[in-house]
Amino acid sequence: VFSMAEPLLHAFAKPTKTDFIRIVRGSGALLWDDKDNEYIDAIGSLWYSQVGHGNAEIAEAVAEQIRTLETYSIFDPFTNEMAEQLATKLVSLSPLPDSRVFLCGSGSEAIDTAMKLARVAHVQAGHPEKTIIISRNRGYHGTNYGGTSAQGLPLNKIGYGQLLPEVVQVDSDNIEDLATFMKDNGTRVAAIITEPLQGAGGVYPPADGYLEGARKLCDQYGALLIFDEVITGFGRLGTWFAANYYNVVPDLLCFAKGVTSGYQPLGGVFVGRTALNALERDPDFFLRHGYTYSGHSAVCAAALKNLEIIERDGLIERAKHVGKRLSDGLHSLAADGVIDSVRGAGAIWAAGLKPDQNCVTIRDNMIKRGVIARSINADTNAFCPPFVITDQQIDKLLDVFAAAAQGK
């Protein structure tokens, strides 16, 4: 077969597709393509652009670090200053008391790290039989093998052969389904992994009491609770983490995306005291897990400057304002019958569409009008804008969405 496709094989796309929109520059919540068309970035690229695009401070921080030392490995016996500084800063923000942080390169790596740490912690605690990991339907946990195994989105699992054994899904909202599984298998459960608010699966806040119930079940059966906060971390809900927002403390917390606002690829896991006690109990235990770019100095420099900007500029408080304006607008559209429903929290929202509406068609019509939103399944358009988006830009975003949703 002779292929006319371009050299780049795109992620989450048809391999035969050739017509892509080439984004070339950005500033704040705005983007431009190679034809100089302007867009409002209503989804933060892929749920991560907290401080917006084109930030010169972060660019300079990264450049300065590269001029000094691009990075050096933190595998034993080495460390580097920027990784240590970032870990100290992150732990100061952590909702997990007395935690430590493991650094990696992405959210997918963070998920696989947390799953591995959960299992090995039980081995070190004298419970090697605790190997089962439970996740929820609709959950999206990245695309490495562990995260793919934990996904509750069946289409993303097709064609990849045997996935990780002893990783099972339960109903996404019914805590009784989880309780029943724990009753039957709890002595063998290593961890429950969940997004506090499910993001890429369609923006679904947790059912009332679900997170609290999962926490109690983990305590009852000696399992670890893992929060996947790759989307919800670093201010997205108007708090540093969803753990703060929902007032439920996990044992491990995965993060990525907003930690650098996408300026460099970084992920990580906060490891709480229960798991740490197991990992630290034997002074001869050697943790055989890590990545070449764990603690990459230039990446850590981006994160440190990004976090500084979020704090200095009051962007977590700003996220609450952005979310309210977005939520109010979407709820007005639902009240007027333009869309079916609204879901979300903080500064992440989704429009649930009516049966005669198609989210891809709406997304494409919005792009033609200069707004980039996300289409999910066939019935949802999602919004996750940079915290620096202006009120005027939010209002235009809503107007464009309303027109596209009505087929105008």
Side-chain angles (χ1 to χ4, degrees), residues 268-396:
V269 182
F270 288 111
V271 186
R273 188 36 57 188
T274 300
L276 286 175
N277 287 342
L279 297 174
E280 294 169 357
R281 66 186 295 182
D282 178 0
D284 293 324
F285 171 65
F286 194 90
L287 179 60
R288 297 182 182 277
H289 175 73
Y291 302 94
T292 298
Y293 297 128
S294 288
H296 190 286
S297 297
V299 172
C300 293
L304 283 163
K305 183 57 70 172
N306 176 67
L307 297 174
E308 177 189 324
I309 292 166
I310 289 174
E311 288 186 304
R312 182 194 71 205
D313 295 351
L315 293 184
I316 292 183
E317 201 61 33
R318 175 67 188 171
K320 296 178 185 177
H321 173 84
V322 167
K324 185 177 187 309
R325 198 173 186 94
L326 194 51
S327 168
D328 288 350
L330 291 172
H331 277 99
S332 293
L333 294 177
D336 291 342
V338 175
I339 55 176
D340 179 70
S341 59
V342 181
R343 303 183 301 272
I348 175 171
W349 289 91
L353 304 179
K354 297 189 289 187
D356 62 340
Q357 295 172 314
N358 180 279
C359 64
V360 176
T361 302
I362 291 172
R363 179 203 66 188
D364 291 348
N365 286 343
M366 291 178 71
I367 288 172
K368 291 175 183 176
R369 293 175 163 92
V371 176
I372 301 172
R374 187 133 182 89
S375 59
I376 301 175
N377 304 319
D379 61 356
T380 299
N381 287 111
F383 307 90
C384 184
F387 302 156
V388 298
I389 191 171
T390 67
D391 288 1
Q392 184 181 14
Q393 288 165 346
I394 296 171
D395 294 345
K396 179 181 176 182

Side-chain angles (χ1 to χ4, degrees), residues 192-318:
I192 297 170
I193 183 169
T194 180
E195 297 164 277
L197 176 148
Q198 294 182 312
V203 186
Y204 287 91
D208 288 346
Y210 192 98
L211 298 178
E212 295 86 347
R215 176 71 272 176
K216 289 177 183 176
L217 287 167
C218 284
D219 293 340
Q220 181 179 349
Y221 290 96
L224 298 171
L225 179 61
I226 304 170
F227 273 7
D228 174 352
E229 293 224 33
V230 170
I231 287 177
T232 54
F234 301 98
R236 182 49 61 183
L237 299 186
T239 53
W240 275 108
F241 296 95
N244 308 116
Y245 185 87
Y246 293 112
N247 198 29
V248 176
V249 180
D251 298 297
L252 300 106
L253 188 153
C254 303
F255 63 86
K257 296 189 185 291
V259 67
T260 67
S261 289
Y263 281 77
Q264 293 276 267
L266 174 66
V269 182
F270 288 111
V271 186
R273 188 36 57 188
T274 300
L276 286 175
N277 287 342
L279 297 174
E280 294 169 357
R281 66 186 295 182
D282 178 0
D284 293 324
F285 171 65
F286 194 90
L287 179 60
R288 297 182 182 277
H289 175 73
Y291 302 94
T292 298
Y293 297 128
S294 288
H296 190 286
S297 297
V299 172
C300 293
L304 283 163
K305 183 57 70 172
N306 176 67
L307 297 174
E308 177 189 324
I309 292 166
I310 289 174
E311 288 186 304
R312 182 194 71 205
D313 295 351
L315 293 184
I316 292 183
E317 201 61 33
R318 175 67 188 171

